[in-house]
Amino acid sequence: MIMTNKLPKDFFWGNSTSSMQTEGAWNLDGKGKSVYDVRPATNSTSDWKDGIDEYHRFEEDFDLMASQGMNFYRFQISWSRVDPEGNGNFNEKGIEFYSKMIDALLKRNITPMICLYHFDMPLALAQKYNGFLSRPVVQAFVRYGIEMVKRFGNRVKYWITFNEQNLYHTSEAFDISGYLKGDKTIDELYQISHHVMLAHAGVANFIHEHTDCQIGGMLAYSEVYPATSNPQDVLYARKIDEFLNRDLLDAFIYGRYSHEVMTYVKNHKIEMDYQLNDDEALIQVSSDFIAFSYYRSETIDSTKVPRNTVPNLYLDYGSKENPYLETSEYGWQIDPAGFRDILAKVYNEYSVPMFPIENGLGMSEDYKGQEIQDDRRINYMRDHIQAMKDAIFEDGVEVLGYLGWGLIDIPSSSGNVDKRYGTVYVNRTNHDLKDMERIPKKSYWWLKQVIESNGENLDDLDLETEKTQYA
């Protein structure tokens, strides 16, 4: 089929990463410790001290991105690099590092987006306050975020506060919020998620009141299907979406929490530290776009969920494999149709531009002197980009761009270097740093072809095409 529609000329194509998975230099130039810096390596994971040495090699990696045609890079500021103890005593050397990065991106015509928090709480705040369980950490985050906007807002016009903010509505909240001790109760879960929303609002309101920058909320969005036509399965799938996604979307766009979720909180006497007058005014935020990550879909079997389980935890018990979908080697179910559906249904409801800023396939790969033929990754990206185009051209969704995750190999979110997402191989393993040489895979050249055609050419890579060097 000939595609007659064209993506906008200013459509964003790019890459997303986090600081602890890329930078390394965990103890250089005044950086304070984060909760990740003290996590040890295991038999199947690396520690977090080296990443891919981006602290020293970002120019090389930006050249790779520019050569591929990218015009957008979403990166994260390490809170403890610029604010070592989280107490507002800012580290000028850390700030200078990000200033150099931003200048290097702009020099290559790559638009930067800053993420302020990707799970790596300054260790001092985690130890003193138990992370976002406590309100002083909200105040510390807002102080840090506003300072970064003041420093960089003249050059960086796109911002997000929290990576995958809806994860703070799930059992993962205790691992990513700086929470170090406690019983992991439902009250604490809701308290953490509310405090994170207050922290987002404090920065978002400052940006809208004092700058010309744009900021959006970000979710980890997975399509959730009922396992059967059992009405209870359908109900549970809807409730998962309401409690994990729409509750936040309502806050991001309408400045209030979901009525259904707040009714549940009231009926079940959940203590979420909601201070009515002050907090209600504070969360009256707005979003310039909705950012989200998308990797997979989930399927819920209500019969596996214990009675009286809070909807936030349904998937902890009732997740089931979908027989209609392909599954990756790491157990994630591949579902481009779910990607299209999320783009359309969220846009239809909230009428705010959509921005998928993470998408990709984790695979185990080993470089043996020959170009890595990662055709499965190419197929994954092709199918998801096509699904996005269908959402734009067939469903009328406004989409700002498409960013892959970790398109230069980085340790996975669990610290496993063997689970690779990149179109560029980085020569290191979990326990051997080797030389960290950057080596383009077959998918690098395929994605270069896609970007150069602004998404029109999704065909298989023409092997006769000359593969020009990036340097």
Side-chain angles (χ1 to χ4, degrees), residues 374-410:
D374 54 341
D375 293 277
R376 195 177 189 195
R377 176 174 293 111
I378 290 172
N379 292 336
Y380 179 98
M381 287 193 293
R382 175 192 291 115
D383 291 345
H384 283 78
I385 292 171
Q386 183 60 58
M388 175 190 69
K389 290 169 63 177
D390 290 342
I392 294 169
F393 300 136
E394 304 275 346
D395 307 328
V397 181
E398 182 181 357
V399 179
L400 298 181
Y402 171 87
L403 310 185
W405 171 253
L407 294 181
I408 297 171
D409 281 347
I410 57 178

Side-chain angles (χ1 to χ4, degrees), residues 130 132-133 168 173-174 177 179 187-197 272:
N130 215 13
F132 278 105
L133 188 64
Y168 299 92
F174 301 108
S177 65
Y179 179 98
D187 286 353
E188 288 180 326
L189 172 63
Y190 272 74
Q191 189 168 320
I192 289 169
S193 66
H194 177 54
H195 288 169
V196 169
M197 185 62 214
M272 60 182 287

Side-chain angles (χ1 to χ4, degrees), residues 1 3 6 17 44 216 235 319 360 364 400 403 413 434:
M1 182 180 72
M3 178 65 70
K6 295 182 183 296
T17 61
S44 59
L235 175 67
S319 183
S364 57
L400 298 181
L403 310 185
S413 59
K434 298 187 178 181

